[in-house]
Amino acid sequence: MKHRHSPAARLALASAPLMLLVAGMAVGHPGHDHAHGSGFAAGLAHPLLGLDHLLAMLAVGLWSLRQSRAFSLAAPLLAAGGMLLGAGLAWVGLALPGVEFGIAMSVLLAGVLIAALVKVPAAVGAGVVVLFMLFHGHAHGSEIPHGASMLTYLAGFTLATLAVTYAGRLAGGLLMQRENRFLRALGVAITAAGALLAFG
C-alpha cells in the first residue's frame, strides 16, 4: 500500500527548506552595522532585521498558547524582560559566552517545543523564555548605534519584541483553531532554521 504524507507533513517538508535557505540571512545580523536612525528607530528596527531574533520572538508567542493561561498572557512581557536583562548585562560589561550560538539554540529549541507540543509548569516556562531572550537582548545591547539614546533604544526594541511576540500568539491561536498538526509543522520549520543557524 502506498504511503501518503499527511497535510502537516507536506507543509513541514515544503517549509523547512525555505526556512533553511532564508535563515542564513540572519547570521552576523546583516544590516545592523548601520544605524537605522538613532535611538528609538534603531531599537525598533534591530529585532526585525535579524531572522534569528524574529523567529525566536514568534516562537515564544506560538509556544505560549499551549501553556497555562497565566504564562500565556505573561509570555510577551517575559520575552521583553529577558531582552532588557540581556541588554543590561551587555551595557555593564558582562560578557555572555557563546551569544550567537545561544541565539541559534534558542530558535532551535523553541521550534522543538512547538513541534512536540510541550507543556511545562508556568515557572519553568518563564525561566525558559527569559533564558532564550537573554542572548538576544545581549546582542541588541552590544550593537547599540554610536551616539544613540540608551533609553529610546530600549523603548524601541522592547516595543518590537512585544509586537512580534503578540503576533506569534495571534498566529498560534489561528493555527490551533484549525489543527495542532499545522502548529507542529511550523515548529519543525523553526527547528530546521535554528539547526542551520547553530551548526550550518
Side-chain angles (χ1 to χ4, degrees), residues 76-90:
L77 295 175
L78 289 166
M83 295 270 270
L84 291 170
L85 180 58
L89 293 178

Side-chain angles (χ1 to χ4, degrees), residues 4 17 29 31 34 43-44 51 54 65 70 72 75 94 102 117 141 167 170-171 184 195:
R4 297 182 62 187
H29 304 99
H34 307 288
L44 191 66
L51 187 62
L54 203 57
L65 259 293
S72 177
L94 292 178
L117 302 179
L170 177 61
R184 286 180 182 270

